[in-house]
Amino acid sequence: MPTIISTHSILISSVPRENKLLAGKIVPQGINTNPYFSEPAPMGISDIGVSPNGPFIRESTQFLGVIDLYSLSAESSFNTPCAEFQLNLVLNYNYNGQTYALWTQDVAHFNTVTHQIFFLDNIWNFTAYKASVTGVVGNGQISYSNSSGMSYYYYCASTPGNGVSLTLPTTIYLLINVTENSAGQPVIMFWYNDGYGWINYDRVTVTNVYNASNVSFLVDGYQYTGSGNYYDAELVLTGPGGGSCAYLYSSTLLYLSLEYWNGHNFQGVRNAYNYGFDTAEKVNNANVMSYYSLSNGEYVAGITAGVGFLEMLWQQDTISTLKINTGVNSGYAIVFNASVPLSEVENDISLFKVPFSNGGEVCLTLYPMEYGIIVFNSNGQMIGEASVVTTQGEAVSTNVSPFSISVVNYNILYHEVIVTLQINGFGYVTLYTNSTYPYTFQTNPIYVNGKAEDTLTIYDLPYGVEDISIYGYLFNGFYSKVNLSLIIQPQTVPITFSYSFIGNQPPTLPTITFNFPNGTTETVTLQNGQTISLPSGTNYTIQNVINDGNIRWATQNTTSGVVTSKGSLYIVYYEQDEVTFYYNLIGNGTFTIPTINYEYFNEMRSVSPPATVWVNYDSAYTYTKILNGVEPDTRAIALNYTGIITAPEVITVNYQVQYFINVNSPIPLYALINGENESFSSNWFNQGDVVQIENLSYYISSMEREIITSLSPSFTFTVEEPMNVNVKVVNQYYVTVNSTIPIYALINGQNVSLNSGWYNYGISVNIENITYYVTPLERDIIISISPKSFIVNNHINVDVKVVNQYYIKVLSKVSVKGEINGSERYLNSSWINSGSYIKILNYTYYVNNQTRCIITKITPSNSFTLNTPITINITTQRQYLVVINGESIWVNNGSVITLSANVPFYLMGKYVGTYNVSSGISITVDQPIQERFVEVPNYLIIGLIGAIITISVIVSVIILRKRK
């Protein structure tokens, strides 16, 4: 046994599929049986408590899964050649008025290349949505699942048989059972058997409850668990844990069976689906179909690679239920197909052995047919036998007892003896005697229900002592025997002659010829049912053929003999027609010769055409339907290969040459075949058929598809030879682009327009943030892209949000102030969001402290809501600061001002500053101006005034002196 190192690093836990919408939901009419529409899905056997007659509930303390593994080839989504077999059950119990549900998993992890196998278990909490596991103690530990956000219990076995490489074919057993300890706590036990005996590798106790009630594994078709899962039992093939998927390849062949403990024995589930419900792991390319064992009638699910359907495998209306009342408390029953020889059963007794206990009843789910039963007690002593015929949809019950046959009495009358037999047992008994003389049983086979009687009549016994043996067969190879010695005395012999015609009445009746012991001969027409007394030793010969052209009435019965004892002779004549058989080949090639089966008397005969034979009237003939060609994948098929013979005739059957077209395609194909649309897959096609394959996409879902990228040899061809049609596809997902403007992206590095559509799996998409210009003066800008970059591996919604903008052209010689949606800012020619409310502020713009511009006009308006491109014209007037003698005033550029002042005559003044001019001068304002008026004495005027005053004084003095 190899050393197991760090099992957590090589094995990944399985995870459940929880559904919050279904959590705790009760469905009186029955839960949904179709959580999947197609593969990938967990495939195998499941019992969910739903039958064609409605939902039901099953409780059991243990379930057994059996895996008959012949070959398995798989590749997982982890890129490993691994898969898992999962036995998944829901443990239900009550505690303190609350119902709890734990999902238990017994898992066989299998490497399909090395055939190495590992065993592990998981326990998840199904009591409520996203509930975690607590309070369980076993060999493992409680771990946290990042993917599910829940805690769960996990353990990998380190016991014999774990980690070994198996030799295929092999059988693997998985078993989970539950008991209760002295504290009333559920104890869950996980088992496996892969050839190293039964191994109980983990024993898990639920420690956070006491005195729990109703502890059992539950299958309930009326409701969902508190986590939204199914109360089901399932044995499924899946990916190797972690929600993975495994793809099956063509060499896969295995069989699964799922059984529950019914209180006495393990019994196969009576209603089975071919897919699981609770586990998140899946497989793809798995074809799961229902089979039954020819040896013991048990149902199994067979798994091969290929396209399959999710469906019911079998159900209680088509299977049969066999109940055996053994009469002992415990032991084992051998149950087998009654047609299987007992010697074969004894050579492989384990295949048919059904252990039982707790009261002696055995209940089995079986295919409807006849079964042989042998019951042994717990000490291995055989206690009884039975045979029973089970019927579809019914429960059949039988007892068992030692089987025997005995003679009650017998009566000899002339050359005839009647023997009364007593038969003890249960079932149909076939009677036989080794007498070489004619005999009949009153009822054969005879049904015996504990005890029955039958009579054996032997005819035409010769004089003397006749030793015979009488046998009663309960089933193939099992019989009881009784010996009998008879003494026959000489006597007169009455003989009754009877006959019948199968077909029409012949034109004449048969004749009979007697050769008497005295040497005389007599021929007479034989009347039906005529009794004739004949001397012992008389020879007779009956006409065996009545001819009427190419129609005859003939018999294969013995038509001659010697009269030795009382009796009767019954002759059956068959009407027969002369028929010639031919065949014709439509097409070219070399093929095997057909065989024609036809009815000749009470047997089937065969002949090869051309042939002329006698055939029973109103009987069927059948040609070989298919003739194999010398070349591979070539055949010829009969178009009218069977019929009924009602008259002599010549029959010709036409064979159409066909070739096998092998279609290798991962998706379903459709084609026009000779103009008719139909599904196209690997099949036989007529020589000359015109095939036009349709290039149709295969939609896995509304958002995922596969498209054909290449098909060889061609989409259209005429069938003239076997061929391979090879199809390659690419997986695509639908990308939904929600955008009001065109979007561009780098797809695998190439710049293209990105629209809603189908894109290849795995491509890289990087969306560019490019502004869309509706017109030169209107645009949409992207404000968010979600997601902006992604790899196409699922359906993706790309949401692009944009803002509409208009271009505002601002014509102004000064900076423009305004409010946009109440926020003040400078306005320049720029792009502004559509719908914005804009208000132009009428303010004075100061170039400096001596020069300014004032707004005189705003067009088209000083306030508006932006819903179109617009040009704003701002008309301004430049002004300069003019300071005259300290008084300031703003004067429009280009204005003319006059510098004036009132000055006394004796003074002179001028303006000093920007221009330095005299008073009264007009100047044009084209810059800031600062002038100050300055006054100075007018010395000329003052001198003149002084001179005048001086002269006046002098004159006055002179006058005064003259007066004196």
Side-chain angles (χ1 to χ4, degrees):
M1 174 178 166
T3 301
I4 306 301
I5 302 175
S6 183
T7 56
H8 283 272
S9 67
I10 61 174
L11 300 180
I12 302 173
S13 294
S14 304
V15 295
R17 298 174 68 246
E18 295 194 342
N19 189 333
K20 188 175 183 180
L21 298 178
L22 299 178
K25 189 175 182 180
I26 298 176
V27 188
Q29 69 273 22
I31 57 179
N32 176 29
T33 61
N34 297 296
Y36 295 93
F37 294 101
S38 62
E39 294 182 22
M43 303 298 289
I45 305 178
S46 67
D47 184 356
I48 63 169
V50 176
S51 75
N53 303 319
F56 62 88
I57 294 174
R58 172 170 291 115
E59 296 174 309
S60 179
T61 58
Q62 51 187 329
F63 276 80
L64 172 67
V66 183
I67 305 150
D68 289 318
L69 180 58
Y70 291 86
S71 60
L72 177 58
S73 178
E75 182 176 1
S76 76
S77 52
F78 295 149
N79 296 320
T80 62
C82 296
E84 284 186 352
F85 298 98
Q86 297 183 8
L87 175 59
N88 299 330
L89 309 174
V90 180
L91 176 63
N92 196 71
Y93 59 90
N94 294 331
Y95 174 62
N96 281 347
Q98 172 71 36
T99 298
Y100 294 87
L102 297 180
W103 191 46
T104 62
Q105 295 184 280
D106 196 357
V107 180
H109 180 97
F110 187 72
N111 186 307
T112 67
V113 173
T114 65
H115 297 172
Q116 192 175 24
I117 192 166
F118 296 91
F119 296 94
L120 63 148
D121 59 35
N122 283 179
I123 299 177
W124 299 79
N125 195 341
F126 275 9
T127 305
Y129 183 72
K130 292 297 181 183
S132 289
V133 169
T134 59
V136 296
V137 176
N139 294 331
Q141 61 185 17
I142 294 177
S143 302
Y144 181 76
S145 169
N146 291 323
S147 61
S148 65
M150 297 179 290
S151 296
Y152 64 99
Y153 176 85
Y154 172 92
Y155 179 65
C156 179
S158 59
T159 44
N162 184 67
V164 300
S165 292
L166 302 178
T167 300
L168 304 187
T170 190
T171 300
I172 304 165
Y173 299 89
L174 299 174
L175 173 69
I176 308 177
N177 62 358
V178 64
T179 61
E180 298 172 56
N181 61 19
S182 59
Q185 297 171 323
V187 180
I188 311 164
M189 288 177 283
F190 296 89
W191 303 74
Y192 66 84
N193 185 347
D194 60 349
Y196 289 79
W198 277 107
I199 305 296
N200 177 204
Y201 70 97
D202 198 8
R203 180 186 178 98
V204 181
T205 301
V206 182
T207 60
N208 55 3
V209 300
Y210 295 92
N211 299 317
S213 60
N214 299 323
V215 179
S216 66
F217 296 111
L218 179 63
V219 174
D220 189 343
Y222 290 96
Q223 63 177 319
Y224 299 92
T225 69
S227 60
N229 292 94
Y230 288 75
Y231 281 106
D232 78 333
E234 57 189 39
L235 176 64
V236 289
L237 176 61
T238 70
S244 62
C245 181
Y247 184 90
L248 302 188
Y249 292 106
S250 60
S251 60
T252 296
L253 175 62
L254 58 97
Y255 299 94
L256 304 179
S257 62
L258 179 62
E259 303 174 14
Y260 68 96
W261 181 255
N262 60 21
H264 305 283
N265 62 278
F266 279 107
Q267 178 182 355
V269 296
R270 301 172 66 234
N271 297 276
Y273 291 82
N274 69 351
Y275 53 97
F277 291 77
D278 281 339
T279 187
E281 288 74 45
K282 299 175 282 294
V283 291
N284 204 352
N285 198 42
N287 186 15
V288 184
M289 299 182 67
S290 170
Y291 297 87
Y292 71 92
S293 169
L294 285 173
S295 298
N296 61 21
E298 290 185 350
Y299 283 94
V300 296
I303 301 181
T304 58
V307 178
F309 299 94
L310 305 186
E311 59 188 355
M312 207 167 196
L313 289 169
W314 59 82
Q315 42 98 347
Q316 63 190 48
D317 290 344
T318 59
I319 57 94
S320 63
T321 303
L322 174 60
K323 294 183 179 180
I324 306 169
N325 301 311
T326 66
V328 294
N329 186 60
S330 62
Y332 62 91
I334 306 300
V335 182
F336 54 93
N337 183 344
S339 65
V340 176
L342 183 59
S343 58
E344 293 186 16
V345 176
E346 293 172 338
N347 287 338
D348 191 6
I349 200 85
S350 62
L351 180 63
F352 310 94
K353 193 172 183 179
V354 182
F356 63 88
S357 60
N358 300 332
E361 180 182 275
V362 175
C363 190
L364 299 171
T365 301
L366 299 174
Y367 180 80
M369 61 180 174
E370 184 176 359
Y371 290 92
I373 302 168
I374 307 175
V375 175
F376 298 82
N377 63 18
S378 56
N379 295 322
Q381 297 171 324
M382 187 167 65
I383 62 167
E385 310 84 29
S387 71
V388 63
V389 176
T390 63
T391 55
Q392 180 175 295
E394 299 293 333
V396 178
S397 179
T398 185
N399 297 330
V400 296
S401 68
F403 174 63
S404 66
I405 181 172
S406 61
V407 174
V408 177
N409 58 61
Y410 64 90
N411 183 29
I412 299 175
L413 180 62
Y414 299 107
H415 292 273
E416 177 179 297
V417 62
I418 300 175
V419 183
T420 302
L421 302 170
Q422 179 173 298
I423 308 155
N424 297 308
F426 291 89
Y428 284 93
V429 177
T430 301
L431 300 171
Y432 166 77
T433 178
N434 65 349
S435 173
T436 58
Y437 298 96
Y439 65 88
T440 60
F441 288 96
Q442 180 181 351
T443 305
N444 192 21
I446 182 172
Y447 179 72
V448 181
N449 188 16
K451 181 185 294 186
E453 286 190 354
D454 200 1
T455 57
L456 164 65
T457 302
I458 305 176
Y459 310 95
D460 302 333
L461 289 167
Y463 301 131
V465 178
E466 183 73 17
D467 294 321
I468 63 172
S469 296
I470 304 170
Y471 301 83
Y473 285 86
L474 186 60
F475 39 79
N476 193 349
F478 187 84
Y479 64 89
S480 178
K481 171 185 174 183
V482 62
N483 296 318
L484 187 62
S485 183
L486 304 172
I487 301 175
I488 311 301
Q489 303 293 333
Q491 54 197 321
T492 305
V493 180
I495 303 294
T496 299
F497 296 93
S498 302
Y499 54 82
S500 64
F501 299 103
I502 297 178
N504 299 304
Q505 186 86 6
T508 61
L509 296 178
T511 61
I512 185 169
T513 299
F514 298 107
N515 294 310
F516 298 107
N518 60 7
T520 61
T521 300
E522 182 181 358
T523 300
V524 298
T525 298
L526 188 59
Q527 300 300 321
N528 191 21
Q530 183 178 7
T531 300
I532 304 173
S533 295
L534 298 170
S536 180
T538 299
N539 289 287
Y540 63 87
T541 302
I542 302 173
Q543 183 182 2
N544 62 355
V545 177
I546 304 170
N547 289 301
D548 184 18
N550 54 1
I551 302 175
R552 74 177 189 180
W553 285 259
T555 182
Q556 281 188 318
N557 296 130
T558 301
T559 56
S560 62
V562 179
V563 176
T564 59
S565 61
K566 175 185 177 182
S568 62
L569 182 64
Y570 182 72
I571 303 294
V572 177
Y573 289 93
Y574 289 82
E575 180 184 1
Q576 296 182 329
D577 298 315
E578 188 177 51
V579 179
T580 299
F581 293 108
Y582 292 98
Y583 81 102
N584 179 50
L585 195 65
I586 301 174
N588 304 315
T590 303
F591 300 88
T592 56
I593 303 299
T595 298
I596 302 146
N597 295 316
Y598 64 94
E599 202 171 303
Y600 182 76
F601 294 106
N602 61 346
E603 65 181 36
M604 296 300 297
R605 286 193 173 183
S606 299
V607 70
S608 295
T612 300
V613 294
W614 290 100
V615 183
N616 290 354
Y617 170 80
D618 200 29
S619 67
Y621 68 87
T622 304
Y623 279 69
T624 303
K625 184 177 180 180
I626 296 174
L627 307 181
N628 294 320
V630 174
E631 299 297 325
D633 294 333
T634 304
R635 74 177 187 181
I637 187 168
L639 305 179
N640 52 343
Y641 63 94
T642 188
I644 302 296
I645 300 299
T646 57
E649 60 179 313
V650 175
I651 296 172
T652 301
V653 169
N654 294 318
Y655 283 86
Q656 171 66 56
V657 175
Q658 293 185 329
Y659 299 109
F660 190 77
I661 306 300
N662 183 40
V663 179
N664 300 307
S665 173
I667 64 173
L669 297 181
Y670 296 88
L672 294 174
I673 300 176
N674 297 326
E676 294 293 327
N677 192 305
E678 57 187 82
S679 175
F680 183 66
S681 58
S682 296
N683 208 340
W684 293 93
F685 293 87
N686 293 344
Q687 183 182 30
D689 279 353
V690 176
V691 178
Q692 296 175 283
I693 302 173
E694 300 175 273
N695 193 343
L696 300 177
S697 298
Y698 173 62
Y699 287 83
I700 300 170
S701 67
S702 60
M703 295 299 172
E704 181 182 1
R705 71 178 185 181
E706 292 182 327
I707 62 170
I708 298 173
T709 58
S710 69
L711 185 148
S712 64
S714 66
F715 278 88
T716 302
F717 56 86
T718 300
V719 178
E720 295 295 347
E721 61 180 350
M723 67 172 60
N724 290 314
V725 174
N726 298 307
V727 178
K728 292 184 178 179
V729 301
V730 66
N731 184 245
Q732 291 187 331
Y733 290 97
Y734 194 83
V735 176
T736 302
V737 179
N738 301 308
S739 174
T740 58
I741 66 172
I743 299 300
Y744 298 87
L746 294 173
I747 298 180
N748 288 340
Q750 298 294 318
N751 192 303
V752 296
S753 176
L754 182 68
N755 301 303
S756 294
W758 295 95
Y759 293 86
N760 291 351
Y761 172 84
I763 67 170
S764 172
V765 179
N766 292 288
I767 301 174
E768 300 175 279
N769 193 333
I770 297 177
T771 299
Y772 172 66
Y773 286 84
V774 183
T775 68
L777 298 177
E778 180 183 358
R779 72 180 184 181
D780 290 322
I781 63 169
I782 298 172
I783 59 173
S784 71
I785 304 171
S786 176
K788 191 174 188 300
S789 299
F790 55 88
I791 302 296
V792 177
N793 56 15
N794 207 333
H795 167 240
I796 295 174
N797 278 306
V798 176
D799 294 312
V800 178
K801 294 183 179 179
V802 301
V803 170
N804 182 247
Q805 293 185 331
Y806 292 104
Y807 189 78
I808 294 181
K809 187 175 182 180
V810 179
L811 301 177
S812 175
K813 293 181 180 179
V814 300
S815 298
V816 178
K817 283 186 179 181
E819 292 180 357
I820 299 178
N821 297 325
S823 177
E824 185 176 323
R825 52 169 281 188
Y826 283 101
L827 292 179
N828 301 306
S829 293
S830 61
W831 294 93
I832 298 177
N833 293 350
S834 172
S836 297
Y837 178 74
I838 300 173
K839 180 179 180 181
I840 308 300
L841 300 180
N842 193 337
Y843 81 105
T844 300
Y845 173 72
Y846 285 87
V847 179
N848 51 50
N849 59 358
Q850 294 181 322
T851 306
R852 72 179 185 180
C853 293
I854 63 171
I855 296 173
T856 60
K857 186 177 183 182
I858 302 172
T859 60
S861 172
N862 68 333
S863 65
F864 53 89
T865 298
L866 184 62
N867 53 23
T868 186
I870 194 169
T871 298
I872 300 174
N873 286 290
I874 306 296
T875 303
T876 60
Q877 174 64 59
R878 181 178 286 266
Q879 291 184 333
Y880 296 104
L881 182 64
V882 176
V883 180
I884 306 296
N885 294 325
E887 291 186 8
S888 300
I889 187 173
W890 290 94
V891 180
N892 292 347
N893 179 38
S895 297
V896 176
I897 61 173
T898 301
L899 299 177
S900 59
N902 293 317
V903 181
F905 70 93
Y906 54 86
L907 295 176
M908 291 190 339
K910 67 175 181 178
Y911 283 92
V912 178
T914 303
Y915 289 99
N916 296 318
V917 294
S918 301
S919 175
I921 299 300
S922 294
I923 60 175
T924 299
V925 178
D926 58 3
Q927 61 178 323
I929 297 174
Q930 185 168 358
E931 297 290 342
R932 181 173 54 86
F933 187 73
V934 179
E935 293 178 323
V936 295
N938 191 335
Y939 291 107
L940 176 60
I941 296 301
I942 294 173
L944 289 175
I945 292 174
I948 292 171
I949 293 173
T950 301
I951 295 172
S952 297
V953 171
I954 295 173
V955 170
S956 297
V957 170
I958 294 173
I959 292 174
L960 290 176
R961 283 179 178 177
K962 283 180 175 183
R963 286 178 180 175
K964 291 179 175 182

